[in-house]
Amino acid sequence: MEIRTNYAADNYTIHVDHGILESRLANYSAGYDAVHFLVDHNVYELYKSSVLSFIDSPIILEGGEASKSFDAFKRITEALLERGVQRHHLIVVVGGGAVGDAGGFAAATVLRGVDYIQVPTTLLAHDSSIGGKTAINSTHGKNLIGVFYRPKAVIYDLAFLETLPDDEMLSGFGEVFKHALLNNEETVRNLMAKTQEQISLDVLKPFIIRGIETKMHYVLNDEKESGIRKHLNLGHTLGHAIEYKYKMPHGIAVVLGLYFMMFLSNRVEGRELFDLDHFKQYFIHHGYPIQKLKSIDEEEMMALMGRDKKNQSRGAIGFVLMKSIGRCHFTEIENTELKKYLSYLKESL
Amino acid sequence: MEIRTNYAADNYTIHVDHGILESRLANYSAGYDAVHFLVDHNVYELYKSSVLSFIDSPIILEGGEASKSFDAFKRITEALLERGVQRHHLIVVVGGGAVGDAGGFAAATVLRGVDYIQVPTTLLAHDSSIGGKTAINSTHGKNLIGVFYRPKAVIYDLAFLETLPDDEMLSGFGEVFKHALLNNEETVRNLMAKTQEQISLDVLKPFIIRGIETKMHYVLNDEKESGIRKHLNLGHTLGHAIEYKYKMPHGIAVVLGLYFMMFLSNRVEGRELFDLDHFKQYFIHHGYPIQKLKSIDEEEMMALMGRDKKNQSRGAIGFVLMKSIGRCHFTEIENTELKKYLSYLKESL
Ligand SMILES: NC(=O)c1ccc[n+]([C@@H]2O[C@H](COP(=O)([O-])OP(=O)(O)OC[C@H]3O[C@@H](n4cnc5c(N)ncnc54)[C@H](O)[C@@H]3O)[C@@H](O)[C@H]2O)c1
Ligand SMILES: NC(=O)c1ccc[n+]([C@@H]2O[C@H](COP(=O)([O-])OP(=O)(O)OC[C@H]3O[C@@H](n4cnc5c(N)ncnc54)[C@H](O)[C@@H]3O)[C@@H](O)[C@H]2O)c1
């Protein structure tokens, strides 16, 4: 399966399938004098004698957020230069969303930009590898230093997903679910039906592909995030605050944020757009800690949401809400109102 | 005096004059919620109670190459975030070429890019502040990490130039001279006539402006340095090697490189395009250490030139040479040939 971007220029292909890495990559690397691999430590340990056995002496990145520090940035770029990276070389970044962000930032900045290919290895990375955002973390918050830099290709080999820890599956599925919500009612109904009992990789492929297409749609129409790309932030306003406070995997916190988005959309519209019980039971069945929302501190959550780099207003916080599944709008909710809604949410659980 | 870029989009103005900083800047800052200043330590000490007295608590950068380390990059971006920098703020970078490069890279990457204005304060920075290149240094070489990122404006207040140390004047003048060579015979003749006795600031302004226009011409036609922007590298191939080896200010080493370019152009064309004696006397009169070329080690210089990130061929080194003043071409010279030319150069001095 292939998805092609349609920017005005600098387009690239996203390849999605099982067992495609080595062959697809060969087509690209043929055009370069040399290829340098940046590989997630955990992924390399799991796959060095199978899927990744064709790779010679990669540069190993810690994996996870540790790859996104200033120190790691220095190590990665210096390692590339040590190996003599040149402008007509190719960098291939293999790993989860964190390694993708860190490796992408290194590729974007070493020699002022060397071509690179993303090879995402987590379910969440179906999201993070699309859209050209690269970043490292500051002590002041996540992803605060980075650039927009498009890869030459994304090769999403689903073979990697088999070794994902449970938490990582749940986290990635959170973004799959968000993309289904952005899509339409039928996609959500289908997804929930196919994953009623359990979230198994077998049924996910079409939804992953839909998810990529959905994300692409927003990104293509607004690469630099000045308008509708904001809709991708669905569930993320409270999600980020919860992720920060409870040190929860990103996509799991996003599901809690999505639940609040549904709750808030119902309230703001004054009618039951979302059957909250239905979604709550589904999320809890799969292990998302919806009940955690009962114990949040309203003031604390509001302070954290106000700090978000996407939130620039005073006295109010912006949310992406829905009129119906597939139809988003951006609304600012005044602090006093919002505090009430957060209390109602807690009472309702 | 104002020069306007003419890219397809994202154009900006370069303002060049005496005593214009505060008033010109006011026009730009009015459009932003807040302004953050990054200022060269030495410049701030010299001008905090005069030209820069309107600035409140700037972020101070070391000044010189110390600003271009990974550690400084971390300090600068964290300081901006500490002060609550947001996407709709403006960053103003005041200093020499080093601070311009470092501050530009910080502006390009914090929050994935915040608008910035360059305020160059050295003669050399008439060159470095134009063209949108930002960078920091690696242990493997200068400017190896960076991005292309255009400022919203360049405000070149010539008032700053009065306190430049002699070496910095000579260094900056090296690039002024290079731009005259790229221009035409008349500009070179004029420049040499007006600076026959000494290089005084009074006569430089029109040549600085011509220099900016010349650099703009190349940059506008080839922002990402795939073609003719290479011509700006005139004199830089040997220049960089000498700068590295003898730790000489950039533009002074470039003048030595320009002298070798003239020597080589004569040899390659087989006729006297450049009156070497005339140029040699002029350069020596102003204090450029042309005689240093007599003691270079050919092998060492060739190894250093081969390492340059702009030099990608094996067994040969690329040079920008001239057919006549104002007409450049790019030539690769084989290593064995080049070694001979370097020996001839030494003998000739
Ligand atoms: N650039 C974007 O647009 C964007 C969007 C969303 C999220 N992100 C970023 O993505 C990151 C989260 O990504 P993530 O959820 O993939 O987490 P991750 O990259 O931190 O990976 C989680 C863990 O799983 C391991 N891992 C990776 N692939 C594996 C595999 N196939 N089998 C077993 N273990 C594997 C990693 O080594 C790590 O320990 C965050 O840093 C977030 O900021 C970026
Ligand atoms: N981005 C580009 O396209 C480009 C092009 C050429 C050079 N450069 C970079 O520019 C840098 C060299 O720039 P530079 O020659 O301006 O040197 P610099 O920035 O290192 O400044 C030299 C010294 O002069 C001081 N100084 C600055 N302004 C002063 C003033 N008005 N009065 C007194 N002292 C002052 C500085 O604090 C420093 O100590 C190098 O790092 C080089 O890589 C970049």
Side-chain angles (χ1 to χ4, degrees):
Chain A
M1 176 67 200
E2 298 185 355
I3 303 163
R4 180 90 183 152
T5 63
N6 60 346
Y7 294 102
D10 295 330
N11 283 292
Y12 61 91
T13 301
I14 300 147
H15 307 266
V16 190
D17 241 316
H18 267 87
I20 55 174
L21 178 59
E22 191 173 356
S23 64
R24 287 299 181 292
L25 193 56
N27 293 339
Y28 289 99
S29 21
Y32 294 88
D33 292 346
V35 182
H36 306 275
F37 287 90
L38 303 176
V39 187
D40 189 310
H41 170 75
N42 297 315
V43 176
Y44 196 62
E45 287 309 309
L46 287 164
Y47 294 98
K48 68 184 167 193
S49 47
S50 58
V51 184
L52 299 179
S53 64
F54 70 98
I55 299 181
D56 263 349
S57 55
I59 296 169
I60 300 294
L61 274 59
E62 285 90 328
E65 295 302 311
S67 329
K68 293 176 72 174
S69 69
F70 279 97
D71 282 352
F73 172 60
K74 178 173 176 173
R75 270 198 308 281
I76 300 167
T77 48
E78 293 285 25
L80 285 164
L81 291 163
E82 177 71 38
R83 286 161 187 233
V85 64
Q86 299 200 343
R87 285 192 181 153
H88 300 289
H89 290 179
L90 176 69
I91 294 173
V92 179
V93 183
V94 185
V99 161
D101 279 3
F105 186 55
T109 55
V110 74
L111 307 181
R112 296 201 188 88
V114 170
D115 286 354
Y116 79 121
I117 286 179
Q118 289 279 17
V119 179
T121 62
T122 62
L123 183 53
L124 188 125
H126 90 278
D127 177 35
S128 62
S129 65
I130 311 295
K133 280 191 188 175
T134 72
I136 60 173
N137 299 330
S138 149
T139 54
H140 295 276
K142 278 188 52 160
N143 300 330
L144 294 181
I145 292 114
V147 292
F148 291 90
Y149 190 60
R150 291 185 207 154
K152 289 292 152 186
V154 177
I155 304 178
Y156 195 14
D157 191 329
L158 303 176
F160 286 115
L161 301 186
E162 276 147 32
T163 49
L164 276 191
D166 288 350
D167 254 23
E168 270 300 311
M169 267 301 285
L170 275 193
S171 177
F173 187 75
E175 296 285 358
V176 173
F177 201 90
K178 179 194 81 176
H179 287 134
L181 283 171
L182 288 172
N183 233 293
N184 57 36
E185 180 115 28
E186 198 194 329
T187 310
V188 175
R189 211 180 312 116
N190 257 328
L191 179 60
M192 289 175 81
K194 293 251 159 96
T195 56
Q196 198 169 12
E197 285 312 313
Q198 54 169 9
I199 299 167
S200 88
L201 280 176
D202 313 343
V203 303
L204 284 187
K205 187 172 152 192
F207 297 100
I208 291 173
I209 290 169
R210 270 322 261 294
I212 292 174
E213 286 167 345
T214 305
K215 175 143 191 189
M216 287 294 308
H217 165 75
Y218 285 102
V219 169
L220 286 174
N221 288 298
D222 177 23
E223 186 172 29
K224 297 284 172 76
E225 203 163 29
S226 47
I228 65 156
R229 187 168 181 164
K230 272 193 194 142
H231 292 179
L232 293 171
N233 223 26
L234 191 74
H236 281 59
T237 314
L238 184 62
H240 275 148
I242 287 176
E243 177 181 0
Y244 182 84
K245 163 73 184 170
Y246 298 102
K247 308 292 168 233
M248 216 181 264
H250 178 72
I252 297 182
V254 165
V255 166
L256 273 54
L258 289 172
Y259 184 76
F260 180 56
M261 177 282 295
M262 295 174 181
F263 180 89
L264 207 50
S265 297
N266 283 359
R267 289 286 169 140
V268 166
E269 284 298 300
R271 61 203 168 92
E272 183 156 311
L273 298 170
F274 292 94
D275 176 351
L276 291 174
D277 266 351
H278 175 63
F279 286 104
K280 185 167 69 184
Q281 275 164 31
Y282 173 84
F283 290 145
I284 289 175
H285 171 78
H286 287 302
Y288 293 99
I290 299 290
Q291 296 301 335
K292 196 121 221 163
L293 291 169
K294 215 177 163 56
S295 59
I296 56 170
D297 180 280
E298 291 94 319
E299 298 279 0
E300 186 181 20
M301 288 295 122
M302 288 173 59
L304 288 170
M305 289 190 273
R307 237 178 51 178
D308 199 294
K309 73 171 174 297
K310 286 172 187 143
N311 213 328
Q312 316 262 315
S313 18
R314 274 172 235 171
I317 291 179
F319 283 86
V320 181
L321 297 181
M322 302 199 110
K323 295 264 183 209
S324 64
I325 290 181
R327 281 174 55 219
C328 295
H329 60 111
F330 183 80
T331 314
E332 302 213 315
I333 300 192
E334 284 192 9
N335 289 345
T336 47
E337 284 294 287
L338 182 56
K339 197 172 162 193
K340 267 194 292 180
Y341 288 133
L342 284 167
S343 309
Y344 296 156
L345 171 77
K346 288 169 68 174
E347 285 163 24
S348 81
L349 285 166
Chain B
M1 175 69 200
E2 297 184 356
I3 302 164
R4 179 90 185 153
T5 63
N6 60 345
Y7 295 102
D10 294 330
N11 284 291
Y12 60 91
T13 300
I14 300 147
H15 307 266
V16 190
D17 241 315
H18 266 84
I20 54 174
L21 178 60
E22 190 173 355
S23 64
R24 288 299 182 292
L25 193 55
N27 293 338
Y28 290 98
S29 21
Y32 295 88
D33 291 348
V35 182
H36 306 273
F37 288 89
L38 303 176
V39 186
D40 189 308
H41 170 76
N42 298 315
V43 177
Y44 195 61
E45 287 308 310
L46 288 164
Y47 295 97
K48 67 184 166 194
S49 46
S50 58
V51 185
L52 298 180
S53 64
F54 71 98
I55 299 182
D56 262 349
S57 54
I59 296 170
I60 300 294
L61 274 61
E62 285 91 329
E65 294 303 310
S67 330
K68 292 176 71 174
S69 69
F70 279 98
D71 282 352
F73 172 60
K74 178 174 174 173
R75 267 198 310 280
I76 301 166
T77 49
E78 293 285 25
L80 285 165
L81 291 164
E82 176 72 35
R83 286 161 188 235
V85 65
Q86 300 200 342
R87 284 189 181 155
H88 300 290
H89 291 179
L90 175 69
I91 294 173
V92 179
V93 184
V94 184
V99 161
D101 279 4
F105 186 54
T109 55
V110 72
L111 307 182
R112 295 201 189 88
V114 170
D115 286 354
Y116 80 120
I117 285 180
Q118 289 279 17
V119 179
T121 63
T122 63
L123 183 53
L124 188 124
H126 91 279
D127 178 34
S128 61
S129 66
I130 311 296
K133 281 191 186 175
T134 72
I136 60 173
N137 299 329
S138 149
T139 55
H140 295 276
K142 276 188 52 160
N143 301 330
L144 294 179
I145 291 112
V147 291
F148 291 91
Y149 190 60
R150 291 186 208 154
K152 289 292 151 184
V154 177
I155 303 177
Y156 195 16
D157 191 330
L158 303 176
F160 286 115
L161 301 185
E162 276 147 31
T163 49
L164 275 190
D166 287 351
D167 254 23
E168 270 300 311
M169 266 302 285
L170 274 192
S171 176
F173 187 75
E175 296 286 359
V176 173
F177 201 90
K178 180 194 81 177
H179 287 134
L181 283 170
L182 288 171
N183 231 292
N184 57 38
E185 181 115 27
E186 199 196 329
T187 310
V188 174
R189 210 181 314 115
N190 258 328
L191 179 61
M192 290 175 81
K194 295 253 160 97
T195 57
Q196 199 168 11
E197 287 311 313
Q198 54 169 10
I199 299 166
S200 88
L201 279 177
D202 312 342
V203 303
L204 283 186
K205 188 174 152 190
F207 298 100
I208 291 174
I209 290 170
R210 269 323 261 291
I212 292 174
E213 285 167 346
T214 305
K215 174 141 192 193
M216 286 295 310
H217 165 76
Y218 286 101
V219 169
L220 286 173
N221 287 298
D222 177 23
E223 187 171 27
K224 297 285 172 75
E225 203 162 32
S226 48
I228 65 155
R229 188 168 179 162
K230 271 193 193 143
H231 292 178
L232 293 172
N233 223 26
L234 191 74
H236 281 59
T237 314
L238 184 62
H240 276 148
I242 288 178
E243 177 181 359
Y244 182 86
K245 165 72 184 168
Y246 298 101
K247 309 291 169 234
M248 216 181 262
H250 178 72
I252 297 182
V254 165
V255 166
L256 273 56
L258 288 172
Y259 184 77
F260 180 56
M261 177 283 295
M262 295 174 181
F263 180 90
L264 207 51
S265 296
N266 283 358
R267 290 287 169 137
V268 166
E269 284 297 300
R271 60 204 168 91
E272 182 156 311
L273 298 171
F274 292 94
D275 176 349
L276 291 175
D277 267 350
H278 175 64
F279 286 103
K280 187 167 67 186
Q281 276 163 31
Y282 172 84
F283 290 145
I284 289 175
H285 170 77
H286 288 301
Y288 293 99
I290 299 290
Q291 296 301 335
K292 196 122 223 162
L293 289 169
K294 214 176 163 58
S295 59
I296 56 170
D297 181 279
E298 292 93 318
E299 299 279 0
E300 185 181 19
M301 288 295 122
M302 288 173 60
L304 287 171
M305 290 190 274
R307 236 177 53 177
D308 199 293
K309 72 171 174 294
K310 286 173 187 143
N311 214 326
Q312 315 263 315
S313 18
R314 273 170 238 174
I317 290 178
F319 282 86
V320 181
L321 297 181
M322 302 199 111
K323 296 264 182 209
S324 64
I325 291 182
R327 280 175 55 220
C328 297
H329 60 111
F330 183 79
T331 315
E332 301 215 315
I333 300 190
E334 283 193 9
N335 289 344
T336 48
E337 283 295 287
L338 182 57
K339 196 171 163 192
K340 267 194 293 180
Y341 288 133
L342 284 167
S343 309
Y344 296 155
L345 171 77
K346 288 169 67 174
E347 284 163 24
S348 80
L349 285 165

